[in-house]
Every structure is written in C-alpha cells, then in structure tokens.
Amino acid sequence: MYEYHTLPNGIKIILSHTPSRVTYSGVYINVGSRDEVGADEGMAHFIEHSLFKGTEHRKAYHILNRIDGVGGELNAFTTKEETCVYASSLSEHLERCLELFADILFHSTFPLNEIEREKDVVLEEINSYNDSPSELIYDQYEELAYEGHPLAHNILGTKRNVKKFTPERLRRHMERNYTPERMVVTVSGNVKMERLVRICEKHFGGFQNTPSIQNTRNSKPEFHVFDRHINRHTHQAHVLIGCEAPDIYHGDKTAFTLLNNILGGPAMNSRLNVAIRERYGFCYNIESQYVPFSDTGLFYIYAGVDLDAEEKVRHLITNELLLMAETPLTERQLRSAQRQMMGQMAINDDFGMNEMQSIGKAYLSYDHVNTLEEMNADLLSVTPADLLRVAQERFHPEKFSTLVYGN
C-alpha cells in the first residue's frame, strides 16, 4: 500500500514502504521538452544538466559529493513531459538526498563558467545521438509525427539553441515552470511516513507557487502519416513503423499495453521476435514500444536489419499487425499473455528504483497510484474482444507511418 500527503504549497508526497536498507528517492516535475517555446527548445534538458553546477549554498563539487560521498548515486533525466531528479542511498541518508533536491531545484545559480562548460557536454551528447541511428531514428520519427507541435521537439534541443542559453534565461524558465504544485516527492524504502513528511516540510515547505506564464499543453497534437526513406551510410537498415496510440487517460490504455507486450515486449517469445528474428534471422534487435502522453500516444516497432532484407521485414511487420486485427486470441493465449505481463510487472517493481520512479510518475499524472494487485485485476479484465477491437481501431495500413534509414 502507498501513503500520500500534500504540503500546503501543493508539493505531493508518495511513499512505498519496503524493508530494504537502501532507499530510493526522487522529485518528479511536470515539465518537459513540450513545455518549451521557440528559442527555449532544449532548455528543460539543459536545466537538468545544470542543476548540479552550483547553488546559493554549494559549488558543483559539493553537490556531486553530497550523495556520492556516502556511497549513494545521484542522477536526473528529462522526457517530453517530465523532469526527474533522483538518488539511491542508505536509509539513514534520506534527508541528505531530499535536502539536496530542494537546494538544486529552488536555489540553483547556474554559474556562468559552469554553464559554458556544460554547453560543450550537451553538444557532444547531441553529436553522440547523431552518430547513433538506432537512437536518432526515434527522435526524427517523433519530429515527423508531430510536426508543428511542441511534442515534436527533440529533448536535447538544437546546437544553435544550446549555444545561446544564458544563466538568466535558465533562471526565468525555472521560475515559470518548476513550481511546487507541479512537483511530486517520491520515495521507496524503510522510512515512516511521519518522518518523510517532517523532512519534506522542513526542506520543501517554505517555497511558494508563482503563476506559470506559458502553457503549451492546451492543444491536442495531430498525428501525421508519412512514409520516409532517408539515405544514411549505415551497415544495416533501421526501420521504424508506428501509429497513433491511446493517451495515459484513455480507457484502452491497459488493453493496448498488453497488445504491445504481446507483439514486441521484452520477452523472447514476443510475436515479432519469433516471426522475424527466430524464423528468418533477419535482425538482431526487433522490439515495439508504447509511449502514452497526456493527450496522445505513440506506438512504434523498431528493427535493425540487413540492407537487403528491409522490404521483407517491413512486409512481415505489417502482417503481424494485421493478424492482431483479424484473428482474436484464444482464452488460453490471452491468459498466457496476462500471466507473462503480471510476472514482468512484479519483477520490475521488486527493484526499488523502478518502483520509486513508476509511482512518482503515476502520482504526478493521476493523483493516485494503483497497487500491483489492482493493476493485475485491471489486466485480467481485458478480453480477447477488447484486444481485437483495439487492434482493429489502430492497425490499419493507411494509419501506419514509416521511417527508414538506409543506403
């Protein structure tokens, strides 16, 4: 069971109590790359990097040593819709972690010399993505799918934008967007809720909300259908085929999640892995992903294949999608798929870091987090007819968008 609390300033707290000596903690902020406008594109990611570069109380070295110095780990990430700062530590160091989160989120100064140095780091990160077609293709696919909408923004931004970021602009962006009512403190570990609330009141309670000036989430993005082949000097063809999918609040989210797991989830017995890798040996890596956003969703299948096998693989992928829309699963097949996914969820939640992040994101989105038992019950309520209907609604050749990197 999860425990919840909301501070007077709007910061939400969620705790999953576990007996582990290690505590996983983090702060989720409802701000991502889709909340950027124009020349600010890439700023959420750059701020994520720059949070560790200095505050009113600490220099960069002291920030990094604060958690690492006691054997913990400190990190952060940015997505299209969230930013997360998180840490793992021994339970006795939980307050150390939470105090540091508050310091970097509300007192960062963005020293000019550190910011200029970090620009080079982010520019090299952009270069690294450009040199990795298996990663770059996802970003370019989303740029094409949501062209003209903030969701199309590359999380890393552009080199031109990054070079022009200044400490003043970073501070203004944080003041407008990184406000208490957009934050969730999430913890998984051996700690009592009363102690967690006291710590959060001490270190987060004094910060007040300021009105958010910009809101880029008031228009639903339109999904564009395309079929694009881009010449790149690669040793294999990189293929991405996808379509629009349910958003995080849609009633079909659970059914589509199961559908994705059946088609190209992490298990070796996924339909795509069996039909294309195991049967023909056309690829080393083939997988599907379902990425739900607050007002839309993406489903895509990625395969890295021999250049001569590209057309054949595209045909086989399309066949598997159409098969899901034409032939319902038997009750036995469905129960097997549900049992497999319930096992995957249990194993994932057994790792405290995964649980801390999943409950933080869920609480940020839904103001509530389902237990594993509730998620299992939801999954078991899916019927063969549900899966068939969802597949029929989504898997039409005229709704598929395809991006291929190759010679």
Side-chain angles (χ1 to χ4, degrees):
M1 299 297 294
Y2 305 120
E3 296 185 75
Y4 308 89
H5 184 82
T6 301
L7 298 181
N9 62 3
I11 291 181
K12 299 174 184 177
I13 305 167
I14 182 169
L15 168 67
S16 173
H17 188 275
T18 67
S20 174
R21 288 191 63 203
V22 178
T23 294
Y24 302 91
S25 57
V27 179
Y28 263 86
I29 309 104
N30 195 22
V31 177
S33 61
R34 73 172 296 178
D35 299 298
E36 303 157 346
V37 177
D40 284 349
E41 292 179 19
M43 188 164 286
H45 173 259
F46 193 82
I47 285 175
E48 172 224 309
H49 275 243
S50 303
L51 289 173
F52 305 107
K53 299 306 172 185
T55 71
E56 297 169 11
H57 311 105
R58 294 179 173 92
K59 294 186 181 296
Y61 171 78
H62 300 110
I63 291 173
L64 298 178
N65 194 55
R66 182 68 176 162
I67 308 301
D68 288 44
V70 292
E73 295 181 357
L74 175 68
N75 214 329
F77 64 81
T78 308
T79 72
K80 297 278 184 175
E81 296 191 322
E82 301 97 22
T83 301
C84 180
V85 182
Y86 62 96
S88 56
S89 68
L90 294 178
S91 297
E92 57 261 38
H93 300 310
L94 173 62
E95 183 168 3
R96 176 183 291 248
C97 295
L98 295 178
E99 184 274 329
L100 182 64
F101 296 157
D103 191 25
I104 64 178
L105 288 171
F106 292 103
H107 294 296
S108 282
T109 55
F110 305 115
L112 180 60
N113 61 325
E114 294 284 355
I115 296 306
E116 291 302 314
R117 187 181 303 117
E118 198 61 24
K119 287 181 182 180
D120 292 333
V121 174
V122 174
L123 293 176
E124 284 308 308
E125 187 176 0
I126 293 173
N127 288 335
S128 175
Y129 265 77
N130 289 336
D131 281 343
S132 178
S134 62
E135 295 180 344
L136 179 65
I137 195 169
Y138 286 95
D139 291 325
Q140 189 158 10
Y141 186 95
E142 293 180 4
E143 289 171 7
L144 294 169
Y146 296 127
E147 186 176 3
H149 190 275
L151 265 183
H153 298 169
N154 188 313
I155 293 172
L156 301 182
T158 65
K159 290 184 177 182
R160 180 179 180 181
N161 280 3
V162 170
K163 290 177 181 178
K164 293 183 178 180
F165 289 160
T166 65
E168 292 74 23
R169 287 177 59 193
L170 299 180
R171 283 193 287 269
R172 287 199 301 269
H173 190 79
M174 284 202 75
E175 290 170 359
R176 288 196 299 263
N177 295 288
Y178 293 66
T179 52
E181 87 284 355
R182 290 189 175 192
M183 296 182 179
V184 168
V185 175
T186 173
V187 175
S188 173
N190 189 7
V191 57
K192 292 183 177 180
M193 189 63 175
E194 294 81 3
R195 175 174 176 246
L196 176 58
V197 170
R198 286 198 302 271
I199 294 173
C200 290
E201 287 175 338
K202 176 180 177 182
H203 298 294
F204 288 91
F207 302 106
Q208 300 303 313
N209 282 307
T210 55
S212 181
I213 296 175
Q214 60 192 38
N215 182 4
T216 63
R217 301 194 192 183
N218 54 10
S219 62
K220 186 180 185 300
E222 177 187 357
F223 182 86
H224 300 286
V225 177
F226 56 89
D227 189 344
R228 188 76 59 89
H229 189 288
I230 297 177
N231 289 327
R232 292 180 64 96
H233 297 295
T234 55
H235 293 290
Q236 60 177 183
H238 300 268
V239 180
L240 204 60
I241 299 175
C243 62
E244 189 173 19
D247 63 52
I248 61 173
Y249 304 109
H250 199 288
D252 289 334
K253 179 177 179 287
T254 299
F256 200 92
T257 300
L258 180 58
L259 195 66
N260 170 67
N261 205 56
I262 293 169
L263 278 165
M268 294 179 66
N269 66 347
S270 71
R271 289 196 172 193
L272 289 168
N273 193 68
V274 171
I276 298 174
R277 172 176 166 158
E278 297 301 322
R279 186 171 299 164
Y280 295 101
F282 281 150
C283 61
Y284 170 72
N285 184 27
I286 184 165
E287 61 187 7
S288 67
Q289 290 190 39
Y290 167 38
V291 184
F293 300 111
S294 57
D295 50 6
T296 187
L298 271 180
F299 169 76
Y300 30 45
I301 296 167
Y302 167 80
V305 305
D306 186 89
L307 293 168
D308 294 332
E310 176 205 322
E311 289 296 330
K312 179 66 173 177
V313 168
R314 289 178 61 175
H315 176 72
L316 290 171
I317 290 173
T318 302
N319 279 353
E320 288 300 318
L321 293 174
L322 296 180
L323 185 62
M324 292 296 298
E326 295 169 355
T327 308
L329 270 65
T330 66
E331 287 290 344
R332 182 176 180 179
Q333 288 173 323
L334 175 62
R335 295 308 171 205
S336 177
Q338 290 168 326
R339 184 170 61 248
Q340 180 183 56
M341 189 165 179
M342 287 190 293
Q344 290 171 348
M345 291 191 301
I347 292 171
N348 184 71
D349 273 1
D350 197 54
F351 179 34
M353 180 67 77
N354 290 345
E355 184 189 35
M356 177 274 292
Q357 292 182 355
S358 66
I359 64 176
K361 178 176 171 60
Y363 195 25
L364 190 70
S365 301
Y366 303 112
D367 289 328
H368 175 76
V369 180
N370 286 337
T371 64
L372 187 60
E373 290 73 22
E374 290 171 325
M375 288 189 287
N376 287 343
D378 195 24
L379 188 63
L380 289 171
S381 70
V382 176
T383 67
D386 292 330
L387 291 179
L388 187 65
R389 174 184 56 80
V390 172
Q392 288 174 343
E393 291 175 358
R394 302 288 177 173
F395 298 160
H396 290 275
E398 64 271 17
K399 293 184 177 181
F400 296 154
S401 288
T402 304
L403 178 61
V404 178
Y405 288 169
N407 296 330

